[in-house]
Amino acid sequence: MVERDRDDAGRARSARPRDRLGRPLPPGSAGVARIPDDLELPPQQTLTFAQQLLDDGLAFNAHEVLEAAWKNRPFAERMLWQALAQFAVGVTHIQRGNPKGARTLLTRSVTRLTAYQPEGDMVPYGIDRAGLISRVESLLAALDAGAQPAAEDLRPRLRG
């Protein structure tokens, strides 16, 4: 049986470095900085950090930042944060050349973004839900047409 890397709590966690697209590299390789599993930031800082990563073409890392928020935010907001994390991982699949995976995650993202109903109809933290829905729909249309989305289309604006 192959021994798996474990974290301090005993959960399986690969210690291998990762490339810009989140793919594992051989042990000892230089990779990009990892996002800590226990990351907890206030919502505005989460969005700023995730936006910086998206702007730098690091959608996989942005996904990890947004996933931490999804797991740590109040239940009423989790669908929104999950949609953002799925959006980022959908972009990651496009960057990796996996249109089927991209379609799956982007569809999940747009479904959650559309279904999310905030109190008072105001999306919190300035998140541009309408703009993100439009961006996802545009990416899905490009994928359906067999086109490779432009690099700027893979750097969505999280806030309006």
Side-chain angles (χ1 to χ4, degrees), residues 100-114:
K100 183 177 183 212
R103 227 179 256 105
T104 298
L105 271 295
L106 291 172
T107 299
R108 288 179 189 166
S109 174
V110 76
T111 298
R112 283 184 171 81
L113 284 168
T114 302

Side-chain angles (χ1 to χ4, degrees), residues 21-158:
L21 302 180
R23 296 175 296 213
L25 294 169
S29 299
V32 299
R34 301 281 297 261
I35 303 299
D37 283 338
D38 60 352
L39 182 70
E40 276 195 59
L41 298 172
Q44 293 294 358
Q45 284 182 294
T46 296
L47 291 166
T48 297
F49 190 21
Q51 187 65 64
Q52 178 185 357
L53 293 166
L54 288 167
D55 291 347
D56 291 343
L58 297 168
F60 180 80
N61 283 8
H63 148 262
E64 290 188 330
V65 169
L66 295 164
E67 184 177 62
W70 158 24
K71 293 177 179 179
N72 293 315
R73 298 301 308 148
F75 180 79
E77 295 179 10
R78 287 190 184 157
M79 182 185 292
L80 176 62
W81 292 103
Q82 185 178 22
L84 297 177
Q86 288 173 328
F87 188 111
V89 90
V91 169
T92 299
H93 282 293
I94 292 172
Q95 292 172 327
R96 290 179 179 175
N98 178 6
K100 183 177 183 212
R103 227 179 256 105
T104 298
L105 271 295
L106 291 172
T107 299
R108 288 179 189 166
S109 174
V110 76
T111 298
R112 283 184 171 81
L113 284 168
T114 302
Y116 176 71
Q117 296 298 316
E119 285 187 31
D121 247 8
M122 291 293 296
V123 180
Y125 318 115
I127 294 171
D128 184 8
R129 182 175 67 164
L132 291 168
I133 289 170
S134 176
R135 179 64 60 99
V136 171
E137 290 171 344
S138 172
L139 289 172
L140 287 169
L143 291 170
D144 289 343
Q148 174 64 31
E152 62 269 9
D153 292 335
L154 303 180
R155 291 176 170 84
R157 305 306 311 159
L158 298 175

